[in-house]
Amino acid sequence: MTTDAPPEGPAIEVAGLHKSFGDLEVLKGIDLTVRRGEVVCVIGPSGSGKSTLLRCVNLLEQPTAGKVTVSGTEVTDPDVDIDRMRRRIGMVFQAFNLFPHLTVLGNLTISQRRVLGRGKAEAERLARAHLAGVGLGDKESAYPAQLSGGQQQRAAIARALSMGPELMLFDEPTSALDPELVGDVLAVMRKLADEGMTMLVVTHEMSFAREVADRVIFMDDGQIVEEGPAEQVVTDPQHQRTRLFLARVL
Ligand code: ADP
Ligand code: MG
């Protein structure tokens, strides 16, 4: 079991973050603070660096320059125990990434047992509680292929929550879903936000951003072009690039 007590200070602090892939500079100096309990949505065109930003927060990508601090621990410090750090960060991707050969319950217990060393009964108890929380209390014995995309994504969220993360990163969690399945996943995310989870969410769902996010960040070409209260950025953007983007997606 982890004994990391969440320290004071922001949940995520990104300062002067640069990331290049070879000659391609994808992040060109990002500064971003996410407070505890805050929900921040990141919007912007395809290729603007949104996924790379998220992946730098939990070091799925190694930043080229700059500093990323999560719950007071500098994750870009070469001496940091990154596995220990990642346990504190839940991540949900566009593709649900469930293990196809495991049942839903198996998907929710395997990392609790292997990574956190929880016993079977405890892992299953927590898994069932989180499955009930996402409306999948009756699906623990199903295999991923037997679930709809929306159910799979809710199972993926429950799996991340079973690890007891301090914050959650979502990268376009509803983009791969049929339109009629999007609402159930957003409802789960909205509930999580209401419960006080810190969330950094890349999404194209503008109504979600507007209603649930505390702040919206508009990224273009590797930079934060505009940020502000969700309602303001979505309905009254100050920058031309933001206006053009919103005109395309709204
Ligand atoms: P977004 O999520 O906003 O669509 P990404 O962060 O996925 O943008 O990608 C930003 C840019 O970085 C794109 O041009 C993409 O092709 C490039 N990129 C992303 N990951 C890699 C990688 N592993 N290697 C090379 N280029 C990459
Ligand atoms: Mg992306």
Side-chain angles (χ1 to χ4, degrees):
M1 292 285 280
T2 173
T3 51
D4 298 304
E8 300 302 310
I12 305 173
E13 202 157 22
V14 172
L17 175 63
H18 290 254
K19 175 64 185 177
S20 297
F21 295 106
D23 290 341
L24 181 67
E25 192 178 29
V26 171
L27 297 179
K28 302 176 178 176
I30 301 281
D31 297 294
L32 166 69
T33 301
V34 180
R35 294 187 299 274
R36 269 166 218 296
E38 199 177 22
V39 178
V40 175
C41 282
V42 181
I43 62 172
S46 179
S48 57
K50 306 180 300 295
S51 295
T52 304
L53 169 61
L54 244 58
R55 293 166 63 81
C56 283
V57 171
N58 64 358
L59 287 199
L60 290 174
E61 298 290 355
Q62 186 69 44
T64 310
K67 199 166 147 179
V68 177
T69 305
V70 174
S71 284
T73 304
E74 188 192 334
V75 298
T76 36
D77 179 341
D79 295 330
V80 80
D81 179 346
I82 191 59
D83 291 329
R84 187 185 181 87
M85 207 52 238
R86 281 207 193 105
R87 276 174 232 160
R88 299 161 68 175
I89 307 173
M91 179 126 186
V92 175
F93 302 89
Q94 183 174 333
F96 326 122
N97 298 326
L98 295 172
F99 299 116
H101 62 290
L102 294 179
T103 63
V104 167
L105 193 67
N107 268 280
L108 266 74
T109 52
I110 186 167
S111 291
Q112 292 191 64
R113 302 200 61 199
R114 291 205 182 152
V115 177
L116 301 180
R118 284 183 186 147
K120 187 168 188 280
E122 169 78 345
E124 290 186 348
R125 185 182 68 73
L126 287 162
R128 290 191 174 108
H130 286 292
L131 283 174
V134 302
L136 293 177
D138 57 344
K139 296 291 184 194
E140 66 171 63
S141 303
Y143 285 87
Q146 299 169 316
L147 302 180
S148 73
Q151 289 171 331
Q152 289 184 54
Q153 190 60 302
R154 283 185 280 144
I157 294 170
R159 180 175 60 176
L161 293 174
S162 296
M163 300 295 282
E166 287 166 38
L167 59 114
M168 290 280 288
L169 309 176
F170 292 88
D171 192 356
E172 300 198 31
T174 60
S175 294
L177 299 177
D178 292 334
E180 74 272 21
L181 304 176
V182 168
D184 288 343
V185 172
L186 293 180
V188 164
M189 292 169 63
R190 188 182 295 249
K191 179 163 151 250
L192 201 53
D194 288 343
E195 290 166 1
M197 178 61 79
T198 307
M199 296 164 60
L200 183 58
V201 183
V202 176
T203 186
H204 294 297
E205 295 290 334
M206 289 306 140
S207 57
F208 176 85
R210 196 171 149 184
E211 290 160 28
V212 180
D214 297 297
R215 266 189 306 139
V216 168
I217 288 173
F218 172 68
M219 275 182 73
D220 194 11
D221 195 23
Q223 289 172 313
I224 293 178
V225 173
E226 176 161 2
E227 70 174 292
E231 179 75 21
Q232 185 213 300
V233 174
V234 176
T235 62
D236 185 25
Q238 302 300 301
H239 290 259
Q240 178 68 2
R241 280 197 277 175
T242 319
R243 281 190 214 113
L244 288 171
F245 172 75
L246 288 168
R248 286 205 306 273
V249 298
L250 284 176

